[in-house]
Amino acid sequence: MVGLLAAGSLLATSCGGGDAGEDDGADAADRNAAAMEDFAVGDSFVATEPLELSVLYRNNPDHGLDQDWMFFDHLEENHNVSLSIVDAPLSDFEQRRSLVIGAGDMPDFVPVTYPGQEVPYISGGALLPVSDYLEHMPHFTEKLDAWDLREDYEALYQEDGKAYILPGLLEDPFQHFSLVVRGDIWDEMGFEEPETWEEFADQLREVKEEYPDAVPYSDRWELQSTLNFASANFNTVAGWGYGDGIYFDHEAEEFIYAGASEEYRELLEFFAGLLDEGLMDSETLTQDDRTAEQKFSAGSSLAIAGNDESTQIYTRGFEELGTEGAEARLIPIPGGEDGDFVHSGARFDSGLAISSSVAEDDDFLAKLQFIDWLYYSDEGLEFATWGVEGETYTVGENGERELDPNIDLNSLNPEAEEHLVRDYGFSNQPFLHAVGSTTDLVHSTFRPHVVEWQEKMHDKEELPVTPPYPFTDLELEQAGLLQTTLTDHVQTASAQFILGQRSFDDWDAYVAELENLNMQQLVDLANDAYERAQ
């Protein structure tokens, strides 16, 4: 049975957040209650006695949480594992994560945590230095080596020489977001997929002439997703991917501050130009997602950002409005003048952090083995993605998986009455990272045109991995304070520049404002840490 705890109740009972002390990988074997002997690659984890783990559950309202899901039942009946759920609404997940970790009440593990998001919690001792225990996680380490991800993972090591997160691993790069256009209109206009952002702008100009009553492009997510995936081809970082704003200049071999760079300015100028020409909706940076969706589905706009799930939402909107022949088409991210790039790290997905208090549990080794099996073994990933063979899906003679015709996922069976996530709990991000692991498994849940889109994205060049710049505890504290102030200023000014509320003639003054907020001190911290790590 799944145990459901309110976060407030968890805070009151104080069940985590301790220090792992002097434990290392060898010591884990001393706390082996419920653990399997000689757990190795290919082994199916079954606890030798009942095992319970607490988990912070990111509750997406699209499918919610059901304690009677087959996912939970199968884990208990076939693997002797039960999960005690600390429920955190999607809208409040990051704040709830900070609250439980900061208060010293972290559950055993917290999924849906991307590399870098663990850093603020390291100095307080709340997180397990998982790199000390990789010998007990054979599936994770096997994929690191088989997919040549060891160097990428080592870039996540901190100043103390340890890593505090287990990222989701992908065999091939996976891109979640891009532009979505009205495919029927793009075909009508004779457009090919735009190879560059300038070509996309040219297409918007022609669309504006042909459809004067529509705004060609009205984006969602306050443009933050688009700035993120566009920034690689402007040689910078922005939007959702802005992070701490520290960006490595591979030519100069040093870190710079992205928000003050000429490349960042060029990115903002491009989108400001779209708005100035009337090619982009002036409400893009302020409207809520639902409003943006409705504009696209109603034909008030003809391009928007999105992913595969979004295209299904847009398509339902077309159907509700009776827009015959309308197609929401996901296109590859346009390239830049100097090439066709995506950011490195595209083979790391949302991962998980483990509480340092787990290292003191008698069943510590079993918990490591279970996490390794569920999130990194081929069997665990197949189970978490597709469910139970013979009940939710079948495998044909050609090896292709096929959902039960009464169950839908990603519109594979759009007329089905049941849904693999909502009714069974599978393909649920907290228990699967975001998309899966092997390319075969990732592609297996998508419709053919999405697979085709991903394959086109694989042709893009991945920018070099950012080298590590691990901070000391004192530097982490200093950097955290500087980053917050600087990022807030950059985000506010970026919106002002794009909206035309601030002239680009004022750019030098803006950079001076960042310097007054100790931008150079943050850059110096990063470069000093980088030099130490060499």
Side-chain angles (χ1 to χ4, degrees):
M1 177 181 292
V2 181
L4 181 62
L5 300 175
S9 172
L10 183 69
L11 287 169
T13 56
S14 187
C15 66
D19 195 333
E22 299 300 319
D23 297 315
D24 58 23
D27 296 329
D30 296 332
R31 291 175 299 287
N32 60 3
M36 294 175 58
E37 272 193 70
D38 302 321
F39 181 63
V41 172
D43 287 346
S44 178
F45 176 77
V46 181
T48 58
E49 57 186 73
L51 176 68
E52 180 177 313
L53 297 88
S54 57
V55 54
L56 188 66
Y57 179 79
R58 182 176 178 265
N59 194 331
N60 188 327
D62 285 345
H63 48 72
L65 172 67
D66 187 341
Q67 297 181 64
D68 294 325
W69 274 337
M70 182 187 289
F71 174 83
F72 296 122
D73 291 343
H74 191 85
L75 282 182
E76 189 164 4
E77 294 170 6
N78 293 274
H79 300 276
N80 211 11
V81 175
S82 59
L83 297 176
S84 179
I85 301 295
V86 182
D87 197 4
L90 172 64
S91 61
D92 194 38
F93 179 73
E94 292 192 9
Q95 293 86 343
R96 191 67 61 87
R97 179 175 60 199
S98 296
L99 176 64
V100 296
I101 296 177
D105 296 305
M106 182 178 172
D108 288 341
F109 69 102
V110 177
V112 200
T113 300
Y114 289 84
Q117 292 181 329
E118 82 282 10
V119 173
Y121 311 114
I122 293 172
S123 61
L127 305 186
L128 183 76
V130 289
S131 57
D132 284 348
Y133 306 97
L134 295 187
E135 65 182 284
H136 304 294
M137 307 193 75
H139 297 99
F140 178 77
T141 54
E142 188 268 340
K143 283 182 167 57
L144 280 184
D145 293 330
W147 296 343
D148 197 24
L149 287 169
R150 181 73 66 166
E151 183 179 347
D152 298 56
Y153 185 62
E154 289 174 353
L156 302 178
Y157 280 49
Q158 303 300 314
E159 193 271 341
D160 60 2
K162 302 175 188 291
Y164 292 80
I165 191 167
L166 294 169
L169 306 180
L170 291 163
E171 183 178 10
D172 289 305
F174 183 90
Q175 298 296 324
H176 293 273
F177 299 94
S178 186
L179 294 169
V180 177
V181 300
R182 275 286 298 273
D184 53 311
I185 290 177
W186 253 242
D187 289 344
E188 172 195 314
M189 301 286 292
F191 293 153
E192 300 290 337
E193 293 170 344
E195 293 187 2
T196 66
W197 283 97
E198 284 299 335
E199 185 178 341
F200 175 63
D202 288 340
Q203 291 178 349
L204 295 180
R205 293 183 183 102
E206 292 189 45
V207 167
K208 182 176 174 63
E209 289 184 10
E210 188 69 22
Y211 292 89
D213 294 334
V215 60
Y217 173 39
S218 183
D219 215 338
R220 59 182 306 182
W221 296 305
E222 299 176 345
L223 200 64
Q224 294 301 295
S225 174
T226 302
L227 289 173
N228 178 27
F229 62 70
S231 64
N233 285 293
F234 287 82
N235 198 24
T236 188
V237 287
W240 284 348
Y242 190 74
D244 55 17
I246 299 171
Y247 187 71
F248 193 69
D249 184 333
H250 285 273
E251 289 187 7
E253 295 188 346
E254 65 179 7
F255 284 98
I256 63 172
Y257 192 67
S261 68
E262 282 301 306
E263 292 80 5
Y264 191 82
R265 172 178 175 162
E266 290 172 4
L267 173 69
L268 299 186
E269 284 180 326
F270 175 79
F271 286 96
L274 294 184
L275 193 147
D276 187 55
E277 286 190 58
L279 304 178
M280 184 172 77
D281 189 354
S282 61
E283 296 180 350
T284 280
L285 275 70
T286 56
Q287 65 190 356
D288 59 47
D289 291 351
R290 182 59 178 157
T291 299
E293 292 170 5
Q294 289 174 334
K295 287 179 179 179
F296 187 71
S297 293
S300 300
S301 70
L302 304 173
I304 190 173
N307 55 19
D308 176 50
E309 182 180 6
S310 301
T311 63
Q312 297 173 56
I313 293 172
Y314 306 150
T315 298
R316 286 197 295 270
F318 295 149
E319 293 170 351
E320 291 171 1
L321 295 171
T323 311
E324 294 185 7
E327 178 197 357
R329 180 182 298 170
L330 192 63
I331 63 173
I333 299 170
E337 293 181 1
D338 299 324
D340 196 9
F341 302 102
V342 293
H343 280 299
S344 61
R347 290 203 291 153
F348 278 171
D349 209 338
S350 69
L352 59 93
I354 302 175
S355 171
S356 59
S357 66
V358 173
E360 301 299 324
D361 295 346
D362 290 340
D363 51 14
F364 174 45
L365 183 57
K367 290 179 177 178
L368 290 180
Q369 291 177 348
F370 169 73
I371 289 171
D372 181 67
W373 172 79
L374 180 64
Y375 289 94
Y376 300 104
S377 76
D378 291 345
E379 180 190 46
L381 289 161
E382 179 102 1
F383 163 73
T385 304
W386 281 92
V388 180
E389 186 175 355
E391 297 189 50
T392 58
Y393 76 105
T394 56
V395 179
E397 293 182 1
N398 59 1
E400 290 189 6
R401 307 164 189 85
E402 186 172 335
L403 271 179
D404 182 290
N406 292 317
I407 302 173
D408 184 35
L409 176 70
N410 295 331
S411 292
L412 293 174
N413 293 323
E415 304 301 322
E417 296 182 358
E418 295 182 314
H419 193 275
L420 191 61
V421 189
R422 290 192 291 271
D423 297 295
Y424 294 90
F426 300 107
S427 281
N428 189 359
Q429 186 175 0
F431 306 122
L432 187 64
H433 301 314
V435 293
S437 187
T438 67
T439 300
D440 169 66
L441 188 61
V442 171
H443 286 180
S444 71
T445 63
F446 290 116
R447 293 166 293 167
H449 76 274
V450 180
V451 174
E452 180 182 355
W453 175 74
Q454 282 293 338
E455 290 173 344
K456 291 178 180 177
M457 294 299 296
H458 290 170
D459 293 335
K460 295 179 178 290
E461 184 175 350
E462 199 171 345
L463 291 176
V465 175
T466 299
Y469 52 103
F471 290 141
T472 65
D473 287 350
L474 178 59
E475 288 170 341
L476 275 173
E477 185 176 348
Q478 293 173 325
L481 295 173
L482 295 170
Q483 290 164 11
T484 299
T485 303
L486 285 164
T487 300
D488 287 347
H489 193 76
V490 169
Q491 299 300 340
T492 298
S494 296
Q496 291 171 337
F497 282 122
I498 292 173
L499 292 170
Q501 297 169 353
R502 189 168 186 176
S503 169
F504 283 98
D505 293 339
D506 200 27
W507 185 262
D508 289 344
Y510 154 73
V511 173
E513 292 162 8
L514 295 178
E515 291 171 346
N516 290 334
L517 293 173
N518 299 308
M519 173 185 72
Q520 192 58 46
Q521 182 182 349
L522 177 62
V523 172
D524 289 343
L525 284 173
N527 280 311
D528 289 345
Y530 166 62
E531 291 297 328
R532 282 199 312 266
Q534 299 308 298

